[in-house]
Amino acid sequence: MRFDEWHHFEIEVAGGTVTARGAVARIRHEWSCPAPSPAVTLDLECVRPTGSTLLPMLTSDIVVLSVSGGDPGAEKLELARLEGRYLSQETAASFTGRVIGLYAVSGEVTFSDFQYEGVES
């Protein structure tokens, strides 16, 4: 998920390792784990903030990056939970807003599926 060159969240698989990455301005942080299987499912979920008081509700969505084995019903391993406000006009300037997509940096890559599900609020 990308807002601009300095503001993006991503999850990748390379060399048997899954890495979630958050980049905000010039700050970059990574979380890694071994891939749970040769074929994996990467998940990026935008979760609405919850709470009964004002403070928890002051943020945008929460972006959750996780991985699971390629089998249906495999358990998800959460790698990162990042505040979505850092991919918004509040903190970064962009013409297009958030953009999401799949890409390969090198080697032979097979994408078998891409699902996007929206929810009316």
PDB file of all heavy atoms in Angstrom, residues 1-2 13 17-18 21 38 41 51 58 72 80 85-86 101 117 120:
ATOM      1  N   MET A   1       0.866  -1.156   0.000  1.00  0.00           N
ATOM      2  CA  MET A   1       0.000   0.000   0.000  1.00  0.00           C
ATOM      3  C   MET A   1       0.908   1.213   0.000  1.00  0.00           C
ATOM      4  O   MET A   1       1.808   1.315   0.828  1.00  0.00           O
ATOM      5  CB  MET A   1      -0.907  -0.004   1.232  1.00  0.00           C
ATOM      6  CG  MET A   1      -1.821   1.184   1.292  1.00  0.00           C
ATOM      7  SD  MET A   1      -2.886   1.159   2.743  1.00  0.00           S
ATOM      8  CE  MET A   1      -4.015  -0.123   2.290  1.00  0.00           C
ATOM      9  N   ARG A   2       0.681   2.082  -0.926  1.00  0.00           N
ATOM     10  CA  ARG A   2       1.618   3.177  -1.161  1.00  0.00           C
ATOM     11  C   ARG A   2       0.882   4.503  -1.221  1.00  0.00           C
ATOM     12  O   ARG A   2      -0.180   4.606  -1.812  1.00  0.00           O
ATOM     13  CB  ARG A   2       2.304   2.872  -2.477  1.00  0.00           C
ATOM     14  CG  ARG A   2       3.207   3.855  -3.007  1.00  0.00           C
ATOM     15  CD  ARG A   2       3.853   3.266  -4.273  1.00  0.00           C
ATOM     16  NE  ARG A   2       5.023   3.996  -4.589  1.00  0.00           N
ATOM     17  CZ  ARG A   2       6.192   3.826  -4.015  1.00  0.00           C
ATOM     18  NH1 ARG A   2       6.350   2.897  -3.122  1.00  0.00           N
ATOM     19  NH2 ARG A   2       7.202   4.571  -4.335  1.00  0.00           N
ATOM     20  N   VAL A  13       7.924 -11.497   0.137  1.00  0.00           N
ATOM     21  CA  VAL A  13       8.549 -12.797   0.352  1.00  0.00           C
ATOM     22  C   VAL A  13       9.803 -12.841  -0.505  1.00  0.00           C
ATOM     23  O   VAL A  13       9.757 -12.532  -1.695  1.00  0.00           O
ATOM     24  CB  VAL A  13       7.616 -13.953  -0.070  1.00  0.00           C
ATOM     25  CG1 VAL A  13       8.286 -15.294   0.180  1.00  0.00           C
ATOM     26  CG2 VAL A  13       6.298 -13.871   0.664  1.00  0.00           C
ATOM     27  N   THR A  17      11.954 -15.884   3.404  1.00  0.00           N
ATOM     28  CA  THR A  17      11.659 -14.973   4.516  1.00  0.00           C
ATOM     29  C   THR A  17      10.532 -14.033   4.116  1.00  0.00           C
ATOM     30  O   THR A  17      10.509 -13.526   2.995  1.00  0.00           O
ATOM     31  CB  THR A  17      12.903 -14.145   4.886  1.00  0.00           C
ATOM     32  OG1 THR A  17      13.955 -15.043   5.269  1.00  0.00           O
ATOM     33  CG2 THR A  17      12.628 -13.189   6.025  1.00  0.00           C
ATOM     34  N   VAL A  18       9.619 -13.801   5.037  1.00  0.00           N
ATOM     35  CA  VAL A  18       8.542 -12.841   4.830  1.00  0.00           C
ATOM     36  C   VAL A  18       8.905 -11.587   5.618  1.00  0.00           C
ATOM     37  O   VAL A  18       9.256 -11.662   6.797  1.00  0.00           O
ATOM     38  CB  VAL A  18       7.186 -13.391   5.323  1.00  0.00           C
ATOM     39  CG1 VAL A  18       6.085 -12.369   5.111  1.00  0.00           C
ATOM     40  CG2 VAL A  18       6.856 -14.696   4.622  1.00  0.00           C
ATOM     41  N   ARG A  21       7.045  -4.182   6.056  1.00  0.00           N
ATOM     42  CA  ARG A  21       7.828  -2.946   6.097  1.00  0.00           C
ATOM     43  C   ARG A  21       6.887  -1.756   6.217  1.00  0.00           C
ATOM     44  O   ARG A  21       5.877  -1.676   5.534  1.00  0.00           O
ATOM     45  CB  ARG A  21       8.639  -2.841   4.819  1.00  0.00           C
ATOM     46  CG  ARG A  21       9.641  -1.747   4.755  1.00  0.00           C
ATOM     47  CD  ARG A  21      10.512  -1.875   3.499  1.00  0.00           C
ATOM     48  NE  ARG A  21      11.307  -3.095   3.546  1.00  0.00           N
ATOM     49  CZ  ARG A  21      11.150  -4.124   2.713  1.00  0.00           C
ATOM     50  NH1 ARG A  21      10.257  -4.098   1.756  1.00  0.00           N
ATOM     51  NH2 ARG A  21      11.911  -5.197   2.830  1.00  0.00           N
ATOM     52  N   PRO A  38       6.289 -23.083   1.249  1.00  0.00           N
ATOM     53  CA  PRO A  38       6.799 -22.563  -0.026  1.00  0.00           C
ATOM     54  C   PRO A  38       5.814 -21.600  -0.718  1.00  0.00           C
ATOM     55  O   PRO A  38       6.218 -20.603  -1.290  1.00  0.00           O
ATOM     56  CB  PRO A  38       7.018 -23.818  -0.866  1.00  0.00           C
ATOM     57  CG  PRO A  38       7.197 -24.916   0.125  1.00  0.00           C
ATOM     58  CD  PRO A  38       6.325 -24.549   1.288  1.00  0.00           C
ATOM     59  N   THR A  41       0.218 -17.014   1.664  1.00  0.00           N
ATOM     60  CA  THR A  41      -0.803 -15.992   1.451  1.00  0.00           C
ATOM     61  C   THR A  41      -0.396 -14.772   2.253  1.00  0.00           C
ATOM     62  O   THR A  41      -0.185 -14.870   3.470  1.00  0.00           O
ATOM     63  CB  THR A  41      -2.187 -16.489   1.910  1.00  0.00           C
ATOM     64  OG1 THR A  41      -2.550 -17.627   1.121  1.00  0.00           O
ATOM     65  CG2 THR A  41      -3.238 -15.411   1.743  1.00  0.00           C
ATOM     66  N   GLY A  51     -13.061   1.609  20.119  1.00  0.00           N
ATOM     67  CA  GLY A  51     -12.902   2.140  21.464  1.00  0.00           C
ATOM     68  C   GLY A  51     -14.148   2.876  21.878  1.00  0.00           C
ATOM     69  O   GLY A  51     -14.978   3.255  21.048  1.00  0.00           O
ATOM     70  N   LEU A  58      -9.236   8.719  17.535  1.00  0.00           N
ATOM     71  CA  LEU A  58      -8.627   9.870  16.863  1.00  0.00           C
ATOM     72  C   LEU A  58      -7.745   9.494  15.684  1.00  0.00           C
ATOM     73  O   LEU A  58      -7.256  10.366  14.998  1.00  0.00           O
ATOM     74  CB  LEU A  58      -7.814  10.710  17.855  1.00  0.00           C
ATOM     75  CG  LEU A  58      -8.633  11.536  18.827  1.00  0.00           C
ATOM     76  CD1 LEU A  58      -7.721  12.269  19.794  1.00  0.00           C
ATOM     77  CD2 LEU A  58      -9.534  12.507  18.091  1.00  0.00           C
ATOM     78  N   PRO A  72      -5.905 -23.325   2.501  1.00  0.00           N
ATOM     79  CA  PRO A  72      -7.095 -22.642   3.042  1.00  0.00           C
ATOM     80  C   PRO A  72      -7.244 -22.946   4.534  1.00  0.00           C
ATOM     81  O   PRO A  72      -7.043 -24.072   4.972  1.00  0.00           O
ATOM     82  CB  PRO A  72      -8.254 -23.236   2.244  1.00  0.00           C
ATOM     83  CG  PRO A  72      -7.637 -23.812   1.017  1.00  0.00           C
ATOM     84  CD  PRO A  72      -6.240 -24.216   1.407  1.00  0.00           C
ATOM     85  N   ALA A  80       2.894  -6.964  11.491  1.00  0.00           N
ATOM     86  CA  ALA A  80       2.913  -5.534  11.830  1.00  0.00           C
ATOM     87  C   ALA A  80       1.494  -4.991  11.895  1.00  0.00           C
ATOM     88  O   ALA A  80       0.612  -5.443  11.171  1.00  0.00           O
ATOM     89  CB  ALA A  80       3.721  -4.750  10.797  1.00  0.00           C
ATOM     90  N   ARG A  85      -3.110   6.566   9.325  1.00  0.00           N
ATOM     91  CA  ARG A  85      -3.054   8.028   9.144  1.00  0.00           C
ATOM     92  C   ARG A  85      -1.749   8.473   8.499  1.00  0.00           C
ATOM     93  O   ARG A  85      -1.665   9.541   7.911  1.00  0.00           O
ATOM     94  CB  ARG A  85      -3.268   8.755  10.457  1.00  0.00           C
ATOM     95  CG  ARG A  85      -2.134   8.609  11.423  1.00  0.00           C
ATOM     96  CD  ARG A  85      -2.398   9.392  12.675  1.00  0.00           C
ATOM     97  NE  ARG A  85      -1.510   8.958  13.733  1.00  0.00           N
ATOM     98  CZ  ARG A  85      -1.338   9.617  14.839  1.00  0.00           C
ATOM     99  NH1 ARG A  85      -2.004  10.729  15.048  1.00  0.00           N
ATOM    100  NH2 ARG A  85      -0.522   9.164  15.757  1.00  0.00           N
ATOM    101  N   TYR A  86      -0.709   7.621   8.590  1.00  0.00           N
ATOM    102  CA  TYR A  86       0.560   7.979   7.967  1.00  0.00           C
ATOM    103  C   TYR A  86       0.527   7.800   6.452  1.00  0.00           C
ATOM    104  O   TYR A  86       1.453   8.207   5.766  1.00  0.00           O
ATOM    105  CB  TYR A  86       1.712   7.195   8.594  1.00  0.00           C
ATOM    106  CG  TYR A  86       1.887   7.556  10.047  1.00  0.00           C
ATOM    107  CD1 TYR A  86       1.624   6.642  11.051  1.00  0.00           C
ATOM    108  CD2 TYR A  86       2.273   8.848  10.416  1.00  0.00           C
ATOM    109  CE1 TYR A  86       1.762   6.988  12.389  1.00  0.00           C
ATOM    110  CE2 TYR A  86       2.402   9.206  11.741  1.00  0.00           C
ATOM    111  CZ  TYR A  86       2.145   8.270  12.725  1.00  0.00           C
ATOM    112  OH  TYR A  86       2.270   8.622  14.042  1.00  0.00           O
ATOM    113  N   GLY A 101      -1.269  -2.678  -4.849  1.00  0.00           N
ATOM    114  CA  GLY A 101      -1.032  -3.550  -5.987  1.00  0.00           C
ATOM    115  C   GLY A 101       0.031  -4.583  -5.686  1.00  0.00           C
ATOM    116  O   GLY A 101       0.665  -4.570  -4.631  1.00  0.00           O
ATOM    117  N   GLU A 117     -11.805  -6.461  -0.996  1.00  0.00           N
ATOM    118  CA  GLU A 117     -13.161  -6.442  -0.505  1.00  0.00           C
ATOM    119  C   GLU A 117     -13.405  -5.127   0.216  1.00  0.00           C
ATOM    120  O   GLU A 117     -12.664  -4.761   1.126  1.00  0.00           O
ATOM    121  CB  GLU A 117     -13.363  -7.617   0.459  1.00  0.00           C
ATOM    122  CG  GLU A 117     -14.762  -7.709   1.019  1.00  0.00           C
ATOM    123  CD  GLU A 117     -14.894  -8.895   1.954  1.00  0.00           C
ATOM    124  OE1 GLU A 117     -14.241  -9.923   1.722  1.00  0.00           O
ATOM    125  OE2 GLU A 117     -15.665  -8.780   2.915  1.00  0.00           O
ATOM    126  N   GLU A 120     -19.153  -0.962   3.041  1.00  0.00           N
ATOM    127  CA  GLU A 120     -19.835   0.327   3.200  1.00  0.00           C
ATOM    128  C   GLU A 120     -19.994   0.606   4.680  1.00  0.00           C
ATOM    129  O   GLU A 120     -20.347  -0.265   5.456  1.00  0.00           O
ATOM    130  CB  GLU A 120     -21.209   0.290   2.530  1.00  0.00           C
ATOM    131  CG  GLU A 120     -21.143   0.201   1.022  1.00  0.00           C
ATOM    132  CD  GLU A 120     -20.628   1.459   0.372  1.00  0.00           C
ATOM    133  OE1 GLU A 120     -20.906   2.568   0.891  1.00  0.00           O
ATOM    134  OE2 GLU A 120     -19.929   1.345  -0.638  1.00  0.00           O
TER     135      GLU A 120
END
